[in-house]
């Protein structure tokens, strides 16, 4: 039975608490009230079962701004389904998942289902204070995208495939055409700054070490600005043994997607548990490969590795330094890698090499075919539809019609972009 409490004279965030545990309900209500930033307008022992459930109507009647959904560690899927249901039925409400921090699968599932925050079930009210503060800050930003930012992660099939170059140029092209882009360098040793001719004062290591006090202002201070508003969260300047947890990554991503329209990650040189978590939080995972045997062999193994996470349906191949090989088709690439080909960047090292050395990305040079290819890749990623939560509908149209009229990298985004 629900206990509704409402005090319209009291200022604060209107919060609803949903849990299957009566004792946990008392604990969460106490934590909410002790923040002095929020007030409990509804406390429910039990979770909604479907779109027509009375609990959903009560959330709307009570005008809840934030819903705390408690995740029972013994049966987490019920709470995850509740998050999905609330997110789909009441998209304007913000959802905080409350669960155990030693369950990375639950963290990723909750964030994927629509939760904006993941709060430690055993933490004090201070964790809620930080979460409510971020919520309040998000409301004060005048310009905010109606949908979540898109996250594009670039991986390499093998060393030297050109992943950093592809990520940097895609980020630059996105910024030129759409704005509000951040490039995050997650490589073991960051090279993105060199390709932009930047000398960053702070890196991703600083961000991960300060997540316990991270807010919008601190995040902005860690950024290195590039031309036309592109921001870089630079990579480590020397090898670092720190491995971020799924909760830490989710918190960082939550801040990034609230501040930018597009988040581009260079993860070249990494293939570990961190990559699996990052791919789970991404809308598209672009595996940069070439058409040699070693590169395609590695791409197939990486695809198998990523099958364990939610990112498996988001993986696509980007063929870099592409040159047409007679008798070797896109279908052959897909058969060798078990992964769909998305894009082809033409081979032109005479242009790419000097651009890297000078720190002047070719995406800014539209007079070259390779520069136009990066611009096309950025436009396709930005224009792709999102048929389901998290994933993008990206389909490559193979060379079946008048190949001479179509240069490398022609992409059809399905369904059609009508009305976009």
């Amino acid at each position: 039975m629900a206990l509704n409490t409402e005090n319209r004279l009291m200022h604060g965030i209107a919060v609803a608490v949903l849990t299957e545990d009566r004792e946990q309900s008392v604990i969460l209500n106490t934590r909410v009230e002790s923040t002095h930033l929020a007030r409990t307008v509804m406390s429910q022992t039990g979770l909604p079962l479907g779109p027509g459930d009375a609990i959903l109507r009560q959330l709307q009647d009570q005008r809840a701004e934030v819903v705390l959904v408690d995740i029972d560690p013994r049966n987490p899927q019920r709470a995850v389904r509740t998050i999905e249901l609330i997110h789909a039925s009441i998209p304007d409400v913000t959802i905080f998942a409350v669960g155990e921090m030693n369950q990375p699968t639950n963290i990723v599932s909750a964030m994927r289902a629509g939760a904006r925050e993941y709060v430690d079930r055993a933490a004090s009210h201070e964790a809620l204070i930080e979460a409510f503060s971020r919520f309040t800050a998000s409301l004060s930003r005048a310009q905010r995208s109606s949908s979540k930012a898109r996250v594009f992660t670039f991986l390499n099939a093998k060393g030297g495939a050109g992943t950093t170059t592809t990520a940097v140029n895609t980020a630059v092209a996105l910024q030129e055409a759409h704005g509000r882009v951040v490039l995050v360098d997650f490589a073991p040793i960051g090279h993105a700054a060199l390709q932009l001719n930047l000398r960053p004062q702070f890196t991703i290591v600083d961000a991960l070490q300060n997540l316990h006090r991270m807010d919008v202002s601190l995040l902005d201070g860690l950024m290195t600005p590039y031309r036309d508003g592109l921001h870089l969260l630079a990579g480590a300047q020397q090898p670092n043994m720190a491995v971020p947890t799924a909760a830490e990554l989710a918190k960082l991503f939550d801040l990034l997607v609230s501040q930018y329209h597009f988040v581009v990650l260079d993860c070249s040189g990494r293939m570990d548990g961190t990559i699996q978590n990052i791919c789970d939080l991404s809308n598209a995972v672009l595996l940069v490969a070439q058409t040699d045997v070693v590169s395609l062999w590695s791409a197939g193994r990486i695809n198998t590795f990523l099958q364990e996470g939610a990112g498996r349906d988001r993986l696509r191949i980007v063929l870099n330094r592409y040159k047409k090989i007679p008798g070797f088709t896109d279908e052959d690439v897909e058969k060798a890698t078990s992964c769909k080909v998305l894009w082809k960047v033409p081979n032109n090292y005479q242009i790419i090499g000097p651009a890297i050395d000078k720190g002047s990305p070719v995406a800014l040079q539209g007079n070259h075919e390779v520069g136009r290819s990066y611009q096309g890749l950025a436009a396709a990623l930005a224009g792709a539809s999102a048929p389901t939560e998290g994933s993008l509908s990206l389909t490559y149209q193979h060379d079946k019609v008048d190949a001479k009229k179509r240069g490398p990298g022609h992409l059809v985004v399905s369904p059609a972009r009508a009305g976009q």
Side-chain angles (χ1 to χ4, degrees), residues 71-397:
I71 300 179
D72 186 341
R74 297 165 297 183
N75 188 4
Q77 285 306 311
R78 284 176 56 84
V80 171
R81 287 195 295 269
T82 293
I83 293 172
E84 291 177 339
L85 180 61
I86 296 173
H87 184 62
S89 304
I90 318 175
D92 292 337
V93 75
T94 297
I95 305 168
F96 289 2
V98 182
E100 296 183 350
M101 302 302 284
N102 62 351
Q103 299 291 327
T105 301
N106 293 346
I107 296 172
V108 171
S109 297
M111 301 301 282
R112 271 284 170 212
R116 291 288 298 164
E117 295 271 356
Y118 192 96
V119 182
D120 188 355
R121 206 169 190 245
S124 67
H125 70 284
E126 294 178 354
L128 271 181
I129 290 177
E130 294 179 5
F132 287 145
S133 297
R134 285 190 291 272
F135 171 77
T136 303
S138 71
L139 294 180
S140 66
R141 287 189 290 270
Q143 186 179 11
R144 184 181 177 92
S145 172
S146 60
S147 60
K148 288 185 178 180
R150 293 187 170 186
V151 180
F152 306 130
T153 293
F154 287 82
L155 308 177
N156 57 318
K158 69 178 183 66
T163 305
T164 296
T165 301
T166 306
V168 166
N169 280 277
T170 302
V172 168
L174 280 169
Q175 180 66 39
E176 288 288 306
H178 301 280
R180 295 188 67 187
V181 178
V182 61
L183 173 61
V184 183
D185 193 340
F186 258 102
I189 299 180
H191 294 151
L194 298 176
Q195 294 205 20
L196 295 171
N197 195 24
L198 296 174
R199 294 171 177 79
Q201 290 184 294
F202 304 102
T203 71
I204 185 69
V205 177
D206 297 298
L208 295 174
Q209 290 177 345
N210 289 277
L211 277 176
H212 62 285
R213 62 186 188 93
M214 184 67 69
D215 57 16
V216 172
S217 298
L218 179 55
L219 181 66
D220 187 64
L222 297 176
M223 295 293 172
T224 304
Y226 185 63
R227 57 174 287 175
D228 298 327
L230 174 66
H231 282 181
L232 170 68
L233 183 52
Q237 302 299 296
Q238 57 187 4
N240 188 280
M241 298 299 293
V243 178
T245 66
E248 290 172 334
L249 286 173
K251 182 173 182 178
L252 177 61
F253 274 57
D254 185 52
L255 278 170
L256 290 170
V257 299
S258 72
Q259 295 301 300
Y260 299 94
H261 288 153
F262 300 98
V263 181
V264 178
L265 291 98
D266 174 18
C267 294
S268 54
R270 296 194 70 133
M271 196 52 57
D272 52 16
T274 297
I275 283 298
Q276 287 182 320
N277 289 329
I278 288 174
C279 290
D280 287 346
L281 294 167
S282 301
N283 299 104
V285 181
L286 296 312
L287 183 58
V288 181
Q290 295 174 244
T291 52
D292 61 276
V293 173
V294 174
S295 189
L296 297 180
W297 182 88
S298 297
R301 271 61 187 175
I302 292 170
N303 187 19
T304 301
F305 173 71
L306 294 177
Q307 288 292 323
E308 300 175 16
R312 60 185 178 272
D313 60 338
R314 301 173 177 90
L315 187 66
R316 296 291 185 272
I317 295 285
V318 173
L319 292 175
N320 193 30
R321 302 173 192 147
Y322 177 77
K323 295 178 70 173
K324 185 70 175 180
I325 302 175
F328 190 74
T329 66
D330 296 327
E331 286 84 355
D332 293 324
V333 174
E334 294 175 351
K335 183 177 180 181
T337 62
S338 300
C339 185
K340 295 292 184 181
V341 173
L342 174 65
W343 201 259
K344 301 173 185 175
V345 179
N347 185 32
N348 195 335
Y349 194 74
Q350 292 79 5
I351 299 296
I352 291 286
I356 293 174
D357 292 340
K358 295 176 182 178
S360 178
V362 294
L364 298 173
Q365 306 172 33
N367 56 327
H368 295 297
E369 182 184 21
V370 65
R372 291 193 296 272
S373 181
Y374 286 127
Q375 293 168 2
L377 173 57
L381 291 172
S385 60
T388 59
E389 180 68 24
S391 66
L392 296 179
S393 182
L394 292 167
T395 304
Y396 183 81
Q397 181 65 44

Side-chain angles (χ1 to χ4, degrees), residues 55-74:
I55 295 176
L56 297 180
R57 292 195 299 271
Q58 290 176 350
L59 289 175
Q60 294 174 304
D61 292 342
Q62 297 299 326
R63 298 182 180 180
E65 298 171 275
V66 173
V67 179
L68 301 186
V69 179
D70 180 53
I71 300 179
D72 186 341
R74 297 165 297 183

